Amino acid sequence: MKKSIGTVAAAVTVAVAAALSLSACGGGSAPASSEAKGEINYWLWDANQLPAYQQCASDFTKANPNITVKITQRGWDDYWTTLTNGFVSGTAPDVFTDHLSKYPEFASKKQLLALDDAVAKDGVKLDSYNKGLADLWVGQDGKRYGLPKDWDTVGLFYNKAMTDSAGITAEQMAKLDWNPKDGGSYEKTIAHLTVDKNGKRGDEAGFDKNNVAVYGLGLAGSGSGQGQTEWSFLAATTGWTATDKNPWGTKFNYDDPKFQETIAWWAGLADKGYMPKLETTVGASVADNFGAGKAAINTSGDWMIGQYTGYKGIQTAFAPTPVGPSGKRASMFNGLADSIWAGTKNPAAATKWVEYLGSSACQDVVANKAVVFPAISASSDLAAKAFAAKGVDVSAFTQQVKDGTTFLFPIADKAAKVDGIMKPAMDAVLSGKKPASSLSDANNQVNNLFK
Amino acid sequence: MSTSTNSRHSRESATAVVGSPQSRRPRTKPFNWRRAGAWILVVTAVVVTVAPFLWMLRTALSSNHSLASNAGNLLPADFSWGAFQRVFGLQSPEQAIAEGGSGADINFWLYLRNSIIFATMTTAGQVFFSAMAAYAFSRLRWPGRNKVFAIFLATMMVPPIFTALPNFLMIKNLGLLNTFAGLALPFMFMTPFAIFFLRQFFLSMSREVEEAAMLDGAKHLRIFFQIVIPNAAAPLATLALLTFIGQWNEYFWPLLVGQDESVRVLTVGLGVFKSQSPQGAPDWSGLMAATLVAALPVLILFIAFGKKVVNSIGFSGIK
């Protein structure tokens, strides 16, 4: 049932997107925000951030008594379907939380309002954001389609009790290294943390890889074409990049031997019994498996800190991603932004609200709730302090930004189609049905999309 | 969504227990292997169908943060009413998030009202109009009747996804988005299944009664309302029940058309429990609590009308 709804939803999204391209109503430019009034509809998907933004909305109305903001939260599963549906039917929200993988398509279909004029007239300080974040939201046409709201990096989430009993210290966890040949100390640690039903560790003789009680490394899925939390931080340390240039690359590099070696090594962990098999991830939550004590390390993003630290009886600690062949670590740097729908009936008020969301006044409020890292540098520091006050050391995530070891989320047109090719291709490799070299084929298909 | 299918099975097996042959036999019968086997089968079936509900209840009464680490325990992990409080909107967003729930505002009573209005509108309309159509297909003689009916039946083969987009555009062009009329219209007039179902029953009614009524001067309208409808109470009730449950569980159409809070139905409202951010685990206890509460009205309907349904299916010869 669940699956069929998903399929139906996907089919209708495609259909709606097709209708969109036919009826593309003209996108425009956001006016500078003077004399704005009325009610603004604002959508977001993360319920954990709802209280923070509710607070922002009431502060905003206090400062601008003529404007009220109505916030709607929708789960990620339905968010994009209802949004594209809203574009077509004219019921989309005035302002919404936007994702890097989605906005290129919206922008090219002229559903977003360019913010350049407003940014210029209202004097939005783009350099107050963490380096690179604001640039991500400049589309292929050179126009700005969003103001950054937060950023995220990836790290290792590990079960403190398990590393303690395996005799692995936090210092060791923070200094892991990795290479695609033998996996380095990263693989050794994963192997040592894997325990079979008889209590034998993965690096001991007599380890039974078919009856594993605790996996050294949890598995969320194959990661499709981006592998944000799954493999991107490994592949990037080999010097690999997903596209020829970023953003707006038109040639993908899934045929690069550096990439295929990385994936072959990673998929090999499942063969060795250190990581669950792909089929066991269907319908399961990688985080809940960690919470159930079935995995010692998970690779995940900082937006999941709250979930992982919430599990009762589990002490979760964080370590940065391992150092790779380049001699540095790496983490994908991703960020969300707020965009204005081109069909908004109240562009002036919408612009004012977006500017407020992108200002330190709102981002400090978000920071204090210690859920995500706001886009403004000063607010991020505040968030780190708020996390510390909750007893969570987030240096594993902030260090990447300080050291400049992040690389940007690959932004390209036709993301949905690229995903449609890469998801099954990656699934096939990870489940052992095809060798990593088969990704060259998929790469050809992807590159043909841009010809 | 699939919950009510389960509940349907469980009710059927429950009635199977009631109607089992034991009551007709003398009390002092010697031990019968076949009977014992049948009992074991029935009990297994009941356990299998009821167990998911118990598991839902157990999950609903657990604390979200303890669920993962207590997967094997049959009793609630870290007992808490929090999930039900969340469903009924008795928790502040901060409190809800602290318990691993969604900070979203679930306007439960409003969504419940909307679900009832939506399901009742479509059920009443569909049963009434389908009965009229079935009457035309079974009791009236007109040229090409059976051919038209065959074409009608063929539309049962069209997957709903093909009609979703045209329907949506039509409702949009009529300006009925975010209204109850927009929600109900595509289902309200008829479905081929409903007409087929009622036609089969109407066909089996005796012609004599109808002819006698005609001799007394009754026209079709009167025959339909005074003879056919009263005689078909059981199948009409069955159809109404099935339609109501189907509409109660409908998700996709209300998601497309009923986006506004004022017409959002329960199933769509529950969607927010299911996913919040990619990779984030759902608020399982909240989801289960809400699903249980949402399934209650349908369960009550079954308890009230279950027997009638079984009877009418036996009566009309549709098995």
Side-chain angles (χ1 to χ4, degrees), chain B residues 6 13 31 49-50 77 94 102 179 207 233 243 291:
Chain B
N6 284 340
S13 36
F31 187 75
T49 47
V50 169
E94 284 83 3
S102 159
T179 62
R207 212 151 250 294
T243 312
T291 316

Side-chain angles (χ1 to χ4, degrees), chain A residues 5 8 12 43 45 47-48 50-51 73-78 85 88-89 229 285 288 291-292 304 307 310 312, chain B residues 1 65-66 68-69 78 94 97 102-104 161 165 168 172 177 251-252 256 259 264 274-276 278-279 281 284:
Chain A
I5 284 176
V8 168
V12 165
W43 281 12
W45 65 78
N48 289 315
L50 192 62
Q73 180 260 337
R74 279 170 187 282
W76 170 268
D77 286 354
D78 289 335
N85 180 25
V88 178
S89 64
T229 59
S285 153
D288 278 349
M304 293 295 284
Q307 169 109 27
K312 247 182 209 166
Chain B
M1 268 129 273
H65 294 309
S66 307
S69 43
D78 221 349
E94 284 83 3
I97 288 170
S102 159
I161 183 66
L165 197 63
F168 177 77
K172 187 209 158 195
L177 287 177
Y251 180 75
F252 190 59
L256 284 183
Q259 294 197 14
R264 194 179 296 165
K274 213 181 78 196
S275 75
Q276 293 155 25
Q279 297 173 352
W284 286 117

Side-chain angles (χ1 to χ4, degrees), chain A residues 1-2 5 7-9 11-12 15-16 19 43 45-51 70 72-78 81-83 85-86 88-92 220 229-230 283 285-294 299-301 303-304 306-307 310-314 369, chain B residues 1-3 5 63-71 78 93-94 96-98 100-106 160-161 164-165 168-169 172 177-178 249 251-253 255-262 264 267-268 270-282 284:
Chain A
M1 194 68 190
K2 190 178 164 195
I5 284 176
T7 328
V8 168
V12 165
V16 166
W43 281 12
W45 65 78
D46 189 353
N48 289 315
Q49 300 182 43
L50 192 62
K70 189 181 156 205
T72 305
Q73 180 260 337
R74 279 170 187 282
W76 170 268
D77 286 354
D78 289 335
T81 323
T82 24
L83 191 67
N85 180 25
V88 178
S89 64
T91 53
T229 59
E230 291 88 359
S285 153
V286 63
D288 278 349
N289 273 335
F290 181 89
K294 291 193 177 135
T299 56
S300 196
W303 64 92
M304 293 295 284
Q307 169 109 27
Y311 290 117
K312 247 182 209 166
I314 303 271
K369 301 267 178 185
Chain B
M1 268 129 273
S2 58
T3 48
T5 336
S63 153
N64 235 353
H65 294 309
S66 307
L67 268 176
S69 43
N70 286 293
D78 221 349
E94 284 83 3
I97 288 170
S102 159
D105 194 12
I106 311 289
I161 183 66
L165 197 63
F168 177 77
L169 291 177
K172 187 209 158 195
L177 287 177
N178 294 324
N249 292 331
Y251 180 75
F252 190 59
W253 183 254
L255 175 71
L256 284 183
V257 177
Q259 294 197 14
D260 198 73
E261 181 96 350
S262 62
R264 194 179 296 165
T267 43
V268 177
L270 294 187
V272 298
F273 277 117
K274 213 181 78 196
S275 75
Q276 293 155 25
S277 53
Q279 297 173 352
W284 286 117

